[in-house]
Amino acid sequence: MFEKIIDILCEIKGEDLELRDNLTPATDLNNDVGLDSLQMIQFMLKIEERLNITIDYDEFDYIHLESIGSFIEFLQSCESKNHQYEDVKQ
């Protein structure tokens, strides 16, 4: 999941090799990557599309963007909720 997030970030920011080399699980998505509001929307939409996850925006908070690692944890919680919902539908 980490590599896919890096790919999406680099796609949105342009193929900036320096950015790719500097991204770690501790990278702050708000302050270190520097996504503007439109790029943030694009990022969230691409995350949902490429990772096949529905982000729970009722649970989402900017604290989840403090690091790529915390964002991954949030996405994993969304993913598990999605699977629980699918099980109930069947």
Side-chain angles (χ1 to χ4, degrees), residues 41-57:
I41 291 168
Q42 291 173 327
F43 174 66
M44 299 301 267
L45 292 174
K46 286 179 186 286
I47 289 291
E48 287 185 310
E49 177 186 321
R50 298 216 185 132
L51 299 179
N52 196 28
I53 293 174
T54 301
I55 294 175
D56 183 350
Y57 290 101

Side-chain angles (χ1 to χ4, degrees), residues 5 28 31 34 41 57 59-60 68 78 83:
I5 290 172
D28 185 318
N31 299 314
I41 291 168
Y57 290 101
E59 298 292 322
F60 178 77
I68 293 175
C78 291
H83 289 300

Side-chain angles (χ1 to χ4, degrees), residues 18-49:
E18 186 175 314
L19 174 66
R20 183 176 290 277
D21 292 340
N22 291 325
L23 293 174
T24 69
T27 300
D28 185 318
L29 287 165
N30 282 320
N31 299 314
D32 297 336
V33 178
L35 297 174
D36 63 29
S37 57
L38 179 58
Q39 290 172 328
M40 182 60 75
I41 291 168
Q42 291 173 327
F43 174 66
M44 299 301 267
L45 292 174
K46 286 179 186 286
I47 289 291
E48 287 185 310
E49 177 186 321

